[in-house]
Amino acid sequence: MTHDEIWEVLCRHVRDVLGDLQDDEIHPRQKLRDLGANSLDRMDILVGTVDELRLTVPTGALAAEPTLGGLAELLHAHCEQP
Amino acid sequence: MPDRRQGTGIAVTSAAVLHPAAATVTELDRVLRRGEPTLRPTPVPGAGLVVPAAHLDGFDLRSWARSHCADPAGRDRLRRVAGRATLPVRTACCVALAACTAARLTEAEARDTSVVIAGNNLALGHQSRSAAAYAADPATVRAGHLLDCFDTDALGAVGEVTGCRGEGWPIGGSSAAGALALIHATRMVAAGQAPRCLVVAPVNDLSPVEIGAFVKAGAMTPVTAGGDAAAACRPFDESHDGIAVAQVAAAVLVEPASEAHRRGIRPLGRILGSGTSTDARRGTRPDTDGQVRAMRKALSDCGLAPSDIDYVNAHATGSAVGDDSEAAALAEVFGAGGSTAFGSTDAGSTAFGSTAFGLTAFGLTAFGSTDAGSTAVESTAAGATGIDGPWVNSTKALLGHGLGAAGLVEAVATLLQLAGGYCHANPHLAKPVRTDLRFVTDTITRAPLRTALSNSFAFSGINASLVLGRAEEDCP
């Protein structure tokens, strides 16, 4: 799975959980907290994305509060290569 | 000789409302003066049923913020905190912010302001949709549901939006919650336990399940084809056959009047006294005796006689059983001989505001005729004239029943009428259930009002009465 595909799925779940976002608010340097996501929202975004991508990622992945770009990198690293 | 109705009491500094027909207090005042019901035929999803209701269909927080919040930072905070919350929490945040802004609270003042949230089971509509989605596919469950499913979400969200971080009290009480919350806030302020208190009643959002149960119970009559939803709620009329629910939110800031004056604000009015009682009985049936006890407690709390009350904002939902019980209770408290019972109850109640009047009030019961100035009356219909006692109307005929928010919305409606010197019409009251009460007819009544009593009664035998007064500076 390419980085772009992961980015697309992640952004879809960000929009799905947070709704009501402007296009320019979603970019790799953005942090979920700054988009108004509370801890439960962040969990819903991570779990939704991971489930759709069929990945196994420890829930502690959000502890360091990565940027959206950092989160996509992390997911990519956990991606099983075919 | 001073009029004891001008005693100090606790001031309602500011108020905010959110109803399908009134997005501001000024608009609410207009709706009341117009005296026309705002109820619409409202389909119940999945039930093939249409009921009379006032629903905030498509309420959009962003557009509310654009028209009611001048501060861009405040708008952003409101959107960030509450944009994705349930309808009760979104509406609570809007009215809370509006009431704080109108009260001109500084950041420091907001910090030590306490918050009371009125109502329980606020997000039943959301709960029902979540449960249905879960039944269809358990994978739809979200961690975020943990916030949405508890009424305390309103407390946290209101605190974050307004900066109020004093004590926090979620107060349930079904249809009496709004009044109970206002009473608790007034007690905290009167006792010096809080410098001021923000009371917020979020929309009490029902699901189709509760609407269906109201219909099955015979407490709500569906609108039939060609039926008139606007005329569906007819409190105190012999033809009354049920309630109409309203999605309505309200907020008020309660503090000593001196505090409002210090910030250069003319309060909306005053809370003079209150009384509550319970019926010690499970069920939905009202109890006239419990209602009488609540009203008499409220009067004795501020040392007033029944004859001192110019106007009663009745609980009157339009349900036959409830209206009849309250009409009997009003006749007992305010009818001929009712005043002789004054002071017979609760000599030892812990009265806020009682210090303003004290026991000397008992020696003054002959003072102050309520009818002295009530001459400019536009209403002339039969049955309303020649009867002594306070004017009686029901705001639910116009706005619908706000459930947990009703008591607070109606307290605001009562203060608006006191300030404006009018009692709004009872638009569909043609044949009153009693002839010994002074009901307002289908026309607005203009009268110089100073003191009013507002009732809120709830399932499970909870009765609450508030005595409200005009702002001191408005008193002649």
Side-chain angles (χ1 to χ4, degrees):
Chain A
M1 193 171 296
T2 68
H3 184 277
D4 282 358
E5 284 167 335
I6 290 172
W7 175 253
E8 191 187 318
V9 173
L10 174 64
C11 291
R12 182 152 38 74
H13 282 276
V14 169
R15 285 181 184 286
D16 193 30
V17 172
L18 301 181
D20 199 28
L21 294 174
Q22 310 286 348
D23 281 341
D24 60 1
E25 289 181 288
I26 299 184
H27 53 78
R29 292 181 317 284
Q30 182 67 273
K31 285 195 169 189
L32 284 172
R33 184 190 289 267
D34 296 332
L35 288 175
N38 60 42
S39 62
L40 297 175
D41 297 329
R42 299 199 292 275
M43 189 60 75
D44 278 328
I45 290 165
L46 180 68
V47 170
T49 307
V50 161
D51 280 357
E52 181 171 338
L53 297 175
R54 297 173 187 280
L55 303 180
T56 308
V57 177
T59 50
L62 286 169
E65 297 211 22
T67 59
L68 283 178
L71 187 54
E73 291 292 344
L74 191 143
L75 293 170
H76 194 231
H78 281 82
C79 209
E80 286 176 7
Q81 301 300 322
Chain B
M1 180 187 259
D3 184 339
R4 67 184 179 282
R5 287 176 295 187
Q6 291 188 23
T8 53
I10 298 295
V12 174
T13 298
S14 66
V17 295
L18 183 50
H19 179 276
T24 63
V25 169
T26 308
E27 287 176 18
L28 177 61
D29 191 44
R30 221 173 286 149
V31 167
L32 298 175
R33 288 172 188 269
R34 207 180 298 134
E36 289 168 9
T38 59
L39 307 167
R40 300 280 176 271
T42 307
V44 183
L49 208 61
V50 177
V51 296
H55 270 208
L56 282 168
D57 292 322
F59 170 70
D60 181 49
L61 182 124
R62 203 178 261 223
S63 50
W64 183 92
R66 267 198 302 275
S67 28
H68 296 96
C69 185
D71 167 33
R75 278 202 299 270
D76 277 353
R77 191 166 56 241
L78 180 66
R79 196 192 111 205
R80 186 173 47 74
V81 173
R84 293 168 293 108
T86 59
L87 179 66
V89 173
R90 276 183 284 142
T91 53
C93 288
C94 289
V95 290
L97 190 59
C100 284
T101 305
R104 293 181 211 153
L105 291 187
T106 64
E107 267 181 48
E109 286 163 341
R111 266 199 297 278
D112 58 13
T113 298
S114 292
V115 177
V116 183
I117 303 287
N120 51 288
N121 304 80
L122 297 169
L124 289 167
H126 171 86
Q127 291 281 19
S128 148
R129 287 188 296 276
S130 302
Y134 184 85
D137 177 7
T140 58
V141 73
R142 279 186 166 175
H145 181 72
L146 286 178
L147 272 185
D148 295 331
C149 71
F150 294 112
D151 290 338
T152 42
D153 190 26
L155 186 62
V158 163
E160 189 167 348
V161 164
T162 60
C164 296
R165 52 179 69 213
E167 294 188 23
W169 292 90
I171 295 209
S174 196
S175 294
L180 295 181
L182 193 51
I183 290 169
H184 184 70
T186 307
R187 283 178 178 170
M188 282 205 295
V189 172
Q193 292 164 340
R196 68 195 71 75
C197 208
L198 176 67
V199 187
V200 183
V203 162
N204 203 161
D205 189 23
L206 299 184
S207 83
V209 182
E210 288 75 47
I211 298 289
F214 269 121
V215 172
K216 280 262 169 76
M220 185 187 294
T221 303
V223 183
T224 50
D228 183 7
C233 183
R234 301 181 297 280
F236 293 128
D237 190 77
E238 278 184 5
S239 72
H240 52 183
D241 67 354
I243 71 167
V245 293
Q247 290 179 335
V248 58
V252 301
L253 190 88
V254 170
E255 63 187 339
S258 55
E259 283 295 290
H261 296 152
R262 194 177 51 74
R263 292 198 305 280
I265 294 182
R266 183 194 187 90
L268 189 61
R270 287 173 297 156
I271 301 160
L272 301 178
S274 70
T276 72
S277 71
T278 51
D279 302 336
R281 196 167 68 184
R282 183 169 183 244
T284 59
R285 181 165 278 272
D287 179 58
T288 299
D289 174 63
Q291 297 172 349
V292 167
R293 283 187 292 125
M295 286 189 259
R296 287 195 173 141
K297 269 184 158 183
L299 290 170
S300 90
D301 184 34
C302 50
L304 294 189
S307 59
D308 290 322
I309 299 297
D310 301 320
Y311 159 57
V312 173
N313 186 286
H315 175 68
T317 63
S319 94
V321 180
D323 290 0
D324 291 354
S325 173
E326 185 175 12
L330 290 173
E332 194 172 330
V333 173
F334 294 104
S339 56
T340 58
F342 169 67
S344 65
T345 57
D346 292 297
S349 70
T350 54
F352 64 73
S354 61
T355 50
F357 306 104
L359 292 172
T360 53
F362 286 87
L364 293 169
T365 47
F367 176 79
S369 158
T370 50
D371 297 341
S374 310
T375 48
V377 173
E378 295 182 8
S379 167
T380 54
T385 51
I387 304 168
D388 284 338
W391 292 99
V392 179
N393 65 13
S394 166
T395 303
K396 293 184 180 76
L398 306 180
L399 303 183
H401 188 344
L403 305 165
L408 194 61
V409 173
E410 287 162 21
V412 173
T414 302
L415 292 173
L416 287 172
Q417 291 173 85
L418 287 176
Y422 70 93
C423 298
H424 71 68
N426 285 312
H428 297 289
L429 182 49
K431 290 183 74 178
V433 292
R434 288 185 76 106
T435 54
D436 54 354
L437 293 174
R438 202 182 191 195
F439 291 112
V440 183
T441 65
D442 60 358
T443 314
I444 189 171
T445 290
R446 295 188 193 281
L449 310 170
R450 279 183 293 191
T451 313
L453 185 127
S454 177
N455 281 336
S456 293
F457 306 135
F459 288 173
S460 308
I462 304 172
N463 310 299
S465 299
L466 288 158
V467 180
L468 304 169
R470 285 169 67 177
E472 280 171 295
E473 44 277 75
D474 290 342
C475 288

